[in-house]
Amino acid sequence: MACKHGISTLSLCMRNPGTVAKILQCARGDLVRWTTVCSYSTDVKSNTADVKPRTATSKYKVVVVGGGSGGCAVAAKFSSLGRQCAVIEPNDMHYYQPIWTLVGAGLKGFQSSVHRMGDVLPQSCEWIKEKAVQFDPAHNTVELSSGEKVQYDYLVVAMGIQLDYDKIPGLVEALENDPSVASNYHQRWVNKTFPAMQAFKGGNAIFTFPNTPIKCAGAPQKIMYLADEYFRMTGVREKTNVIYNTSLGVIFGVKKYAAALQKVIDKRGITVNYKHNLVEVNYKTKTAVFQLLGEDNKFVSFEYNFLHATPPMSSPDVLKQSPLVNDAGWVDVNKHTLQHMTYPNVFGLGDCTSLPTSKTGAAVAAQCGILHKNMLEVMKGRVPEPVYDGYTSCPLITSKSTCILAEFDYDGNPLETLPFNQAKERHLAYNMKAYIMPEIYWRVMMKGWWNGPALLRKILHLGFDRKPKLK
């Protein structure tokens, strides 16, 4: 019934485009004015009363480690198990991080991105409000920070990705002390971005991309396009150098969308420096040091007047020290079934896994349904079906009203849902990103009802969407 409700909502939107357009137009009118959302609070009160009393047992049929997008969505899918499904998650708050680009740009309020964890986790499941500190898959146990060991029949690892700000000397100090340094990737510093944009009077505005895998690989340049637009609006763009220093050798990993983004860059007069990896920040001299990858690792310094830093990222430390990971430190799962390569009763999804696809919320949504189905098959003694093709999506915001909606698979082949070219900047794509996707996240995905747009894609393409070729 839940899935049918989700489909009928989409069908209603398709049957009444005029009504939807009016709603979106009103919403945009209220929200796209930068000056109306520039002051907001990150003080969201927690409610520890939502933590249900622990039952006597420390043995569960399903244990989910992680209360992020993947963990909450999977727990919702197994909520029919009641107290036989437990979620290990120490945090009081749950964040919808994909919206932080718009929060950082002053287009959304921070509080729109946060709900109390107790309101997001399924009420029927047991919330273990502690940290997982050790995994012992050979004995089907997870050790908690209290020293207690939790046993499981089946384990889902969904711990997300670790932000390693401290790996760049001086970056944390700069974020703490320099108003012109910001980062949209952390709830503590996303609120610095728009005030820094407001205070900017010209000079070098630098945006960075680290030399590690990261979540939402398009985010470092999304905020750059929004800042560029804002600088034009405030009249400082003519005396500004907008600089994108990326450790990568391309602007985007999929050729179709890279070509579209290059047109945006050329039109805006943005400077892109490839193979430039941020390695140090000195806020007292307002300099950022970059290592030139592939050029004898030389170092070059840039003076900055505005700096948006994307931190290096890695698998959580507790996972790196466990038997669950591969040599690179990521949870070692089959890329088509999401089942662990060594322990058949362990599954993984999302940013902490070895899945060779872009780490996005859209990827997590697609993985949730496949993981649920395959884990049920394993519970019945059957072999999981290899169906995940690496689907992921990155809405590449290019202005406060336009977006390029990138969707692709493991091989970098476009896997677009809408029946037209999504590499073109469109208002519809922006409205989907800013207004529709957050509603789907909170009202559908967190209830366990959203498995990504595969079904919608098939309907819109009249059943002629390509079949994935799995290797």
Side-chain angles (χ1 to χ4, degrees):
M1 181 178 293
C3 291
K4 290 180 181 178
H5 283 160
I7 295 170
S8 65
T9 301
L10 293 171
S11 300
L12 179 62
C13 292
M14 294 171 65
R15 290 197 302 268
N16 298 278
T19 301
V20 174
K22 290 179 181 178
I23 294 173
L24 291 176
Q25 184 176 9
C26 292
R28 284 181 56 207
D30 290 335
L31 291 171
V32 300
R33 296 176 179 85
W34 268 303
T35 55
T36 63
V37 198
C38 61
S39 61
Y40 38 74
S41 171
T42 60
D43 182 19
V44 182
K45 295 181 180 180
S46 64
N47 185 355
T48 55
D50 287 326
V51 184
K52 296 177 284 293
R54 293 287 304 281
T55 57
T57 180
S58 290
K59 171 73 181 293
Y60 303 89
K61 188 173 185 66
V62 174
V63 169
V64 179
V65 183
S69 300
C72 287
V74 166
K77 289 181 179 296
F78 284 104
S79 60
S80 61
L81 294 175
R83 290 300 184 91
Q84 280 302 302
C85 177
V87 180
I88 300 174
E89 171 54 55
N91 293 307
D92 289 320
M93 297 298 164
H94 180 101
Y95 299 100
Y96 178 59
Q97 297 179 36
I99 208 67
W100 281 355
T101 292
L102 297 179
V103 172
L107 298 169
K108 289 276 189 177
F110 179 82
Q111 290 189 350
S112 69
S113 74
V114 58
H115 284 193
R116 291 182 297 119
M117 187 67 70
D119 293 337
V120 179
L121 286 171
Q123 295 299 307
S124 61
C125 297
E126 186 155 331
W127 176 15
I128 302 175
K129 193 174 178 295
E130 292 192 49
K131 288 184 178 180
V133 298
Q134 188 173 3
F135 292 87
D136 185 0
H139 297 93
N140 297 333
T141 62
V142 178
E143 184 175 338
L144 306 176
S145 52
S146 64
E148 179 184 356
K149 291 186 178 180
V150 174
Q151 291 183 300
Y152 59 82
D153 291 332
Y154 299 92
L155 176 69
V156 178
V157 185
M159 296 188 71
I161 201 167
Q162 180 173 284
L163 305 178
D164 294 326
Y165 283 95
D166 59 334
K167 295 294 178 65
I168 299 178
L171 178 55
V172 173
E173 291 80 2
L175 286 164
E176 292 287 352
N177 296 286
D178 188 345
S180 65
V181 179
S183 179
N184 285 349
Y185 275 90
H186 197 283
Q187 65 269 23
R188 186 174 179 178
W189 295 309
V190 62
N191 290 317
K192 290 189 65 183
T193 306
F194 187 56
M197 288 166 53
Q198 289 178 302
F200 182 74
K201 303 303 180 185
N204 288 340
I206 302 176
F207 303 81
T208 74
F209 189 109
N211 191 29
T212 66
I214 68 171
K215 56 183 173 182
C216 194
Q221 57 183 298
K222 296 179 197 179
I223 187 60
M224 175 181 67
Y225 300 131
L226 289 168
D228 171 85
E229 182 183 29
Y230 184 78
F231 297 154
R232 293 175 189 277
M233 187 185 79
T234 57
V236 301
R237 182 61 178 90
E238 290 185 358
K239 50 185 178 181
T240 297
N241 301 312
V242 177
I243 303 170
Y244 187 53
N245 283 357
T246 171
S247 64
L248 302 178
V250 294
I251 194 65
F252 197 74
V254 179
K255 291 182 178 180
K256 176 177 181 177
Y257 306 116
L261 290 169
Q262 189 60 53
K263 292 179 181 178
V264 175
I265 289 167
D266 293 342
K267 180 174 63 176
R268 303 279 190 90
I270 294 170
T271 299
V272 180
N273 295 314
Y274 295 109
K275 300 292 185 178
H276 280 54
N277 180 42
L278 179 66
V279 294
E280 186 176 354
V281 178
N282 187 329
Y283 78 92
K284 293 181 179 179
T285 61
K286 298 188 80 68
T287 57
V289 181
F290 294 84
Q291 185 178 34
L292 305 185
L293 305 177
E295 294 186 22
D296 299 324
N297 293 326
K298 296 178 182 177
F299 297 92
V300 60
S301 295
F302 286 71
E303 293 184 2
Y304 69 82
N305 302 93
F306 173 98
L307 175 64
H308 180 274
T310 300
M313 303 182 198
S314 64
S315 177
D317 289 338
V318 63
L319 287 177
K320 294 174 194 165
Q321 301 161 5
S322 79
L324 295 173
V325 299
N326 59 15
D327 292 341
W330 306 100
V331 177
D332 194 16
V333 297
N334 181 290
K335 73 175 189 176
H336 296 308
T337 67
L338 310 185
Q339 185 181 37
H340 198 274
M341 298 296 289
T342 303
Y343 305 99
N345 65 331
V346 177
F347 285 74
L349 82 163
D351 298 350
C352 67
T353 66
S354 60
L355 297 172
T357 193
S358 185
K359 299 178 185 297
T360 69
V364 170
Q367 293 161 20
C368 281
I370 293 168
L371 184 149
H372 179 240
K373 178 180 178 181
N374 280 341
M375 205 157 115
L376 289 177
E377 289 296 296
V378 172
M379 289 177 177
K380 297 173 183 177
R382 301 171 184 166
V383 177
E385 186 178 1
V387 293
Y388 183 51
D389 58 0
Y391 171 82
T392 190
S393 175
C394 185
L396 296 156
I397 297 171
T398 54
S399 77
K400 68 179 187 294
S401 62
T402 58
C403 178
I404 292 170
L405 184 54
E407 293 181 285
F408 49 96
D409 63 11
Y410 277 135
D411 299 320
N413 297 315
L415 193 57
E416 298 181 344
T417 298
L418 302 175
F420 47 73
N421 181 15
Q422 293 179 193
K424 182 179 178 180
E425 294 179 86
R426 295 183 187 273
H427 299 299
L428 173 61
Y430 178 85
N431 288 327
M432 290 175 64
K433 164 66 177 179
Y435 308 115
I436 296 176
M437 291 179 185
E439 292 299 311
I440 290 175
Y441 182 84
W442 293 119
R443 299 177 183 276
V444 187
M445 182 175 170
M446 291 298 97
K447 305 298 183 184
W449 303 338
W450 179 251
N451 299 325
L455 178 59
L456 179 61
R457 184 187 311 120
K458 188 172 183 177
I459 293 172
L460 293 178
H461 289 267
L462 304 177
F464 293 106
D465 61 319
R466 65 175 179 80
K467 301 294 182 182
K469 296 180 180 180
L470 306 184
K471 299 178 182 177

